[in-house]
Amino acid sequence: MKKVEVIIKPFKLEEVKEALAEVGIQGITVSEVKGFGRQKGHKELYRGAEYVVEFLPKVRLETVISDDKLDAVVKAVLKAASTGSIGDGKIFIIPVEEAIRIRTGETGDNAVR
Amino acid sequence: MKKVEVIIKPFKLEEVKEALAEVGIQGITVSEVKGFGRQKGHKELYRGAEYVVEFLPKVRLETVISDDKLDAVVKAVLKAASTGSIGDGKIFIIPVEEAIRIRTGETGDNAVR
Amino acid sequence: MKKVEVIIKPFKLEEVKEALAEVGIQGITVSEVKGFGRQKGHKELYRGAEYVVEFLPKVRLETVISDDKLDAVVKAVLKAASTGSIGDGKIFIIPVEEAIRIRTGETGDNAVR
Amino acid sequence: MLLDMLGPRRRRMVARLALAAILVAAVWPIAGFAEDAAPAAAAAAPAPKLDSGDTAWMLTSTALVLFMTIPGLALFYGGLVRTKNVLSILMQCFVITALVTILWTLVGYSLCFEGGGGFDSYIGTLKKAFLMGIGVDTLAPLALTIPESVYVCYQMTFAIITPALIIGAFAERMKFSAMLIFMTLWSLLVYSPICHMVWSPNGALGAGGLGALDYAGGTVVHINAGIAALASVLVIGKRKGHPTTPFPPHNMTMTITGASMLWVGWFGFNAGSAVAANGAAGMAMAVTQIATAMATLSWMGVEWIKQGKPSALGAASGAVAGLVAITPASGFVGPVGALAIGLAAGAICFWGVTGLKKMFGYDDALDVVGVHCLGGLAGAMLTGVFALHQFGGFSDAADKAGLVGQLIKQATACGVTLVYSFVASLILLKIVDVLVGLRVTDAEETEGLDTTQHNEVGYNFSA
Amino acid sequence: MLLDMLGPRRRRMVARLALAAILVAAVWPIAGFAEDAAPAAAAAAPAPKLDSGDTAWMLTSTALVLFMTIPGLALFYGGLVRTKNVLSILMQCFVITALVTILWTLVGYSLCFEGGGGFDSYIGTLKKAFLMGIGVDTLAPLALTIPESVYVCYQMTFAIITPALIIGAFAERMKFSAMLIFMTLWSLLVYSPICHMVWSPNGALGAGGLGALDYAGGTVVHINAGIAALASVLVIGKRKGHPTTPFPPHNMTMTITGASMLWVGWFGFNAGSAVAANGAAGMAMAVTQIATAMATLSWMGVEWIKQGKPSALGAASGAVAGLVAITPASGFVGPVGALAIGLAAGAICFWGVTGLKKMFGYDDALDVVGVHCLGGLAGAMLTGVFALHQFGGFSDAADKAGLVGQLIKQATACGVTLVYSFVASLILLKIVDVLVGLRVTDAEETEGLDTTQHNEVGYNFSA
Amino acid sequence: MLLDMLGPRRRRMVARLALAAILVAAVWPIAGFAEDAAPAAAAAAPAPKLDSGDTAWMLTSTALVLFMTIPGLALFYGGLVRTKNVLSILMQCFVITALVTILWTLVGYSLCFEGGGGFDSYIGTLKKAFLMGIGVDTLAPLALTIPESVYVCYQMTFAIITPALIIGAFAERMKFSAMLIFMTLWSLLVYSPICHMVWSPNGALGAGGLGALDYAGGTVVHINAGIAALASVLVIGKRKGHPTTPFPPHNMTMTITGASMLWVGWFGFNAGSAVAANGAAGMAMAVTQIATAMATLSWMGVEWIKQGKPSALGAASGAVAGLVAITPASGFVGPVGALAIGLAAGAICFWGVTGLKKMFGYDDALDVVGVHCLGGLAGAMLTGVFALHQFGGFSDAADKAGLVGQLIKQATACGVTLVYSFVASLILLKIVDVLVGLRVTDAEETEGLDTTQHNEVGYNFSA
Ligand SMILES: Nc1ncnc2c1ncn2[C@@H]1O[C@H](COP(=O)(O)OP(=O)(O)O)[C@@H](O)[C@H]1O
Ligand SMILES: Nc1ncnc2c1ncn2[C@@H]1O[C@H](COP(=O)(O)OP(=O)(O)O)[C@@H](O)[C@H]1O
Ligand SMILES: Nc1ncnc2c1ncn2[C@@H]1O[C@H](COP(=O)(O)OP(=O)(O)O)[C@@H](O)[C@H]1O
């Protein structure tokens, strides 16, 4: 199994979620993160004090999938999340040794199906 | 070492934390996430516009442990987090190559003890 | 490639980010987490009911890097994040199989450069 | 809609109890119509005339007291619950405001203030149901320098805040529908008689009867609401997790904001109770301010000593305790009395929400008992002391009764209110429980009242 | 600064349209100066004298109505938008308050209330521009017991809230600069004539003209703002994502707080419209409270039945609907009329924000049309019914006109307001669109108005 | 409790300084009792009579000014700090309200307004300590149409807000205990004499002395608080991280809400300073509204030009700047003067919080110096201009003094206030620093004042 971690622009969440659903992914965990990268933040001003917001709001999706779905998932994300402009984000693939569904105790691919 | 990532229902946090403490786990990092899975969200209505809250609030616990504790940890979580109803969540086990305690520079199992 | 996950005290964020920039790391994802460890929380009191805040606010930085940068990164973090007092946090190193830049489709080390 | 599914056996029980409720409810109106006694107190004076200054102040006071409930009390209470229940609190305050307004218009005002019926010691008549007979130019029979329409509105705001205070006790677990039914019954069957007994010229407890002093609502509002609150938590039970899990306030800034609004709005409550813009109103404002300030410092001091640090919630609670305690006294005591009452109220109510509550172990979520019932009792009794001229007060009646005499009157009025309100509230709650069930299910409680009762959430910061 | 980059062709167009705008703008003042007609209505009375009670109440009412816009309306609206636009709402309400104050001082008050010009049926003169001639001791010509300075301020607060209401419709997508220009024009060219026609002694629609009844601003404020809101959403278009993406409120506690403040402040709006502290003010307060309460329950009931659960937003919306609908009626109807108007308003406006809006598919972000326009219309028409003595009202004029007669007058006034305000608003919006562009770019809309227009964010909880 | 651990050497120093403090503190009361001079100004008039309208307005004004501090100022300031310090701000405002109320009751009112002692130019006597001699029917010696109890309360709200303004400067780093001690001393030893000098009939700076004009507190409240704020940041030092780390506001919606409440409440401040419901009050309200609006637009304009975008914080700051600047002028200037004062105030204070602050590099956390001190100075000087009839004002005294003459008077009063308040504040702060230490530890500052001083946190959204 693999964990696919995807960092995207917040307003792309809906689209990526749907793209994943289309390739049969139903389990996703989402968190709000702040990103620091090539895309530069905007300036805010408070009473003359300039304040550069370097960390931009991003959304992280994580989904653990069986190895055979990896390609489809990556493709789906690439398509749905890309705007072509800087700051679109990244996909990271991380090995997962085991997955367990708490409710049933199912393990392995069954747990993430 | 392994990282055990657990996604649970928010109100189970206290119980799972205690269960982990009982098997000797003291270091945990917790974050609020939103989950998308088989458990369906509720509907909210704003002036007649229906709004399905698809992402449900979940809590993620992460703990990095030495390999020998893995079984105990998994068992403890399974017991504490399960309500038997859909949406109870998942456990993922991910390999960790190294852990370092920032304060002391200790590494490996010593760092997570 | 490796993912370096760092849990630090919130007010250290700025310093660690700069230390990472100095060793050439430009891509970082940051999230707010709550930590449970040896450092004990403070007590809050609400109308006589004592309430121990066990989970302390921490910040997690994640950065995916090419293997050759690992040493420099760990050293930079250790130096910037340490206060010598309990609760300074941890560094975890996790294997990453692949990284993809969504905007360009670049993969591997190129994606995280 | 409102009725949940019931089995046949339970349904029969419901029917029986509903019948009982209707009977009880019917007593008052019938009583009210029974006899059209002679015209009330006032009359005969040298042709009463509207005073625009008094009217201006009473219009303002009405706005101030309404402001106390929405948004004041709503925010004070709302900040103290968990995030998942914040809207249920705001909604309850808001809808109680609407509900009681209608009840008051239909029969409440008449039952409270239109005396002259056969049971005039206990309850009014229905002669002014639907505000019948109140025109643009009608002056208030009990305050002949202002229009009756203003008097109706001003008193209405008291009838609104009293039930709204109770919701703090059973917060985070009562069904919205049950709350509505209970408050309807409570307003008519508990608030009306108590209010009439204390403030109507021929009421059993007030100036025309026993002679207990209650300037702005120590018994009518605070003891009444506070003891009903106790009844409600005894019937509905503790929140899941109490007392092991802590329930820290989800938004203390909201609570402090609400407390500040209560403080400011309370000027309408107490200084407005002079029903005129004069020296009595001025002094009532002064002593309100002084007692509140003193109670704030008093609670803060005790907390600082006992718990090591002074908290914002403590300061705010102290202020509310002071406001509650000075309420019955505010037209009768002077600055020194106010200092004493404030000092006592802060310390006593601190004990109420820590010691007393722990002692008995009931789950009064937002401390209505410890602050309003206890603070109201302290205030009512101390009024019996500091209203006397020898203690810096201004009440000739109290002087005449003497210290002990007046204290007995005060105690009696408190006792009657405590017993009647407690018993009646218990009965009404049991009835409502049988009718629709008081409490949400365990799952609903865990999920929170906002989504389960109202299909909404308080905050959506990441939307 | 204010002008965005324009191509030469577009620039020419701008020039032409700007010219047109200036011409339109110039008409009123010129008209105003045209003729100094005979002194207005008042005069001749037995030496008018300031009444301190009336003055006290009007000072208070002014504060209350200002309180309705900031922070009341700002919070009510602010809570309903997404987090990234919350400051834009607060800022718009705040700056409109400042802007309209200055416009009012310069010419607005004079245009609205200083009649006697050649077009006295439609617009005032500029004789009191810069508040010229208003001294410390000048009494208000239209309310001889209070200083004119107070009258100026009181009416100013109405001129402030009316444009502020409109912003709810085009929320989350209009440029701040465009909003400022539009509101400047709208205030002068739409609010002023409508206000003059309805409330100036010789206005075409009010007591000295057609005889339509509008006590506190059903046409002037609510229908006027509501229909301009419709115009604005037709011109500016839908928000990105509408209607597929949901836009849930980001902070319902803020919205309920704002609604509560609106409710309390509205006492200044309606009871203040008596311009005195007397029985008329008192009755206006009473019926305001009753109608609002009834509308709250009415909306809640309909929602409960139709959608399964009563929501806090529903209750708050119902209250606002009731407040809107009772506004034109508040000086003319009695308690029973208030109950009826409230009942109707809750149900009608519920349909306005669900049925009507869906039917036509416009994106009125915060339901200004459904609540203010529709509620205003309902109120205006029902005023024509319940103002009659036979339906519990107090208006001799309505009695004289008869039910049908008065309804025709009401409908006419509504119609004139609807048509004039809609058309004029459309034209002004088009002009502003050409001048600076009404709408932010797609990218700005996605990022949110707070950072793109104001360089700030609403919340920084983790800072 | 309050005293931290001290070494023996330091303890000796404390003892010495405490002695000094007590001596200073003792001067006033002793002075006060020294001589019971002849009855003050008033008297002799044709039997003064309470006016219910004036009383109504002053009761309302009292509520409005209290509303400015809690929750107004508390929210305005509270939103601007970081999340971890929000409760410390709310708590400080709340407890200062309580503290000053008690001080005022005990001696403050008497020191400020009960003249006739041997040092009547500088300070009052203690004859009315504990509000002795003030009964229900006592009329205010300085405002014979209202009860003295109301006058006491009204002036109390000024004594409350003045120290509360100062906390903005040293926000996020002062110990709560130190703040309490400092404010106690400051209220008695700085506020009392300045207030007496300006507003007491025989005060050295006011109408009976120098003849400087200060209608509602330009010197007494704003310059006084503003310069004390400067003293406080010089003594306590910068926040950790200043100026490299940005400290963005944690909740701008809270700040805008607070600013709105300040705006509305300020009507009580300025129009209330007429101590009557008459034309003077009306005109004060009008010019307050106009100057505030103008300053809002003025700050917004400057910011827009200088920094590319207009911010909500800028608009709110501009409004406060305008309110501050019009305060001393509000009873003397006309609409045109108000426009000018507003225009100036917005631009000057913008420079105060950007240019001036950067120039000197002090860490005035929430810009008390730049807005209140500078705005107060601007207002005080411009009062000397626009109070003259030739500039649209109403002050005969100013006309008599002539432009230059009046400006010198104004400058003198400003100068005296600046010097006395600055020096006295510096000394008091040093004393408190030695006594208990002014500043929290580095670790506490990092963790935040909410948990370290009050054991609480502002928000618990995920609870
Ligand atoms: N090496 C990395 N490790 C972890 N997160 C990264 C890394 N590089 C980028 N990110 C995340 O991806 C987001 C987008 O990256 P950025 O460099 O701004 O643009 P792009 O994805 O177009 O190269 C960042 O805000 C950050 O959250
Ligand atoms: N494949 C997955 N990858 C990541 N997170 C998942 C995955 N499947 C489920 N989750 C997380 O677990 C939560 C519970 O899953 P769900 O399918 O609703 O019920 P159950 O755990 O009973 O199967 C989800 O809300 C989501 O946060
Ligand atoms: N084994 C672990 N797995 C995951 N997170 C951990 C682990 N141990 C510690 N942490 C995180 O690191 C933080 C600091 O750890 P703590 O034990 O308090 O102090 P120290 O890092 O000095 O040993 C914790 O609050 C927690 O967030």
Side-chain angles (χ1 to χ4, degrees), chain D residues 51-54 56, chain E residues 50-58 276-277, chain F residues 51-54 56 277:
Chain D
D51 180 288
S52 65
D54 291 350
Chain E
L50 184 141
D51 181 289
S52 65
D54 291 351
T55 304
W57 173 236
M58 294 316 295
Chain F
D51 181 289
S52 65
D54 292 351

Side-chain angles (χ1 to χ4, degrees), chain E residues 380-391 403 406-407 410:
Chain E
M381 295 313 295
L382 292 171
T383 300
V385 177
F386 293 100
L388 279 75
H389 278 88
Q390 72 199 97
F391 297 107
L403 181 59
Q406 189 60 41
L407 280 175
Q410 298 299 105

Side-chain angles (χ1 to χ4, degrees), chain F residues 170-254:
Chain F
F170 56 68
E172 311 201 291
R173 57 207 191 275
M174 196 185 278
K175 268 190 202 164
F176 184 65
S177 57
M179 192 280 309
L180 285 180
I181 302 175
F182 171 61
M183 288 308 180
T184 303
L185 298 173
W186 196 89
S187 178
L188 297 175
L189 301 177
V190 181
Y191 185 81
S192 298
I194 299 276
C195 173
H196 184 86
M197 283 193 273
V198 175
W199 284 336
S200 186
N202 298 318
L205 300 175
L210 168 69
L213 299 172
D214 183 2
Y215 197 66
T219 45
V220 178
V221 176
H222 298 288
I223 300 178
N224 196 1
I227 196 71
L230 181 61
S232 77
V233 297
L234 296 184
V235 176
I236 201 170
K238 303 173 184 188
R239 283 169 294 176
K240 276 184 69 176
H242 180 88
T244 47
T245 323
F247 304 113
H250 91 281
N251 190 343
M252 271 304 299
T253 73
M254 189 184 260

Side-chain angles (χ1 to χ4, degrees), chain D residues 238-262:
Chain D
K238 303 174 185 188
R239 283 169 295 176
K240 275 186 67 177
H242 180 89
T244 47
T245 323
F247 304 113
H250 90 281
N251 189 343
M252 270 303 300
T253 73
M254 189 183 259
T255 293
I256 302 294
T257 305
S260 303
M261 290 172 168
L262 284 170

Side-chain angles (χ1 to χ4, degrees), chain E residues 3-27:
Chain E
L3 269 159
D4 295 347
M5 303 299 157
L6 298 169
R9 213 176 136 266
R10 225 180 150 194
R11 222 179 283 156
R12 236 173 299 132
M13 208 158 79
V14 169
R16 247 175 289 140
L17 275 155
L19 190 69
I22 289 162
L23 277 176
V24 175
V27 163

Side-chain angles (χ1 to χ4, degrees), chain B residues 3 5 13-14 17 21 25-32 60 62 64 94-103 105 110-113, chain C residues 2 5-8 32-38 54-55 60 74 77-78 81-82 84-95:
Chain B
K3 174 154 92 160
E5 274 193 32
L13 173 59
E14 204 62 22
K17 191 207 74 189
I25 302 301
Q26 284 199 351
I28 309 175
T29 297
V30 175
S31 45
E32 289 168 36
R60 167 169 53 198
E62 286 165 85
V64 174
I94 293 168
V96 170
E97 297 186 353
E98 184 58 288
I100 308 163
R101 171 172 281 127
I102 292 176
R103 172 164 48 96
N110 285 326
V112 296
R113 208 156 271 160
Chain C
K2 305 288 178 223
E5 274 194 32
V6 191
I7 318 281
I8 55 171
E32 289 167 38
V33 296
K34 290 182 185 157
F36 180 75
R38 301 192 180 186
E54 291 178 315
F55 293 99
R60 168 168 53 200
V74 168
V77 170
L78 277 176
S82 174
S85 67
I86 204 160
D88 273 356
K90 301 276 190 304
I91 303 174
F92 302 125
I93 295 153
I94 294 169

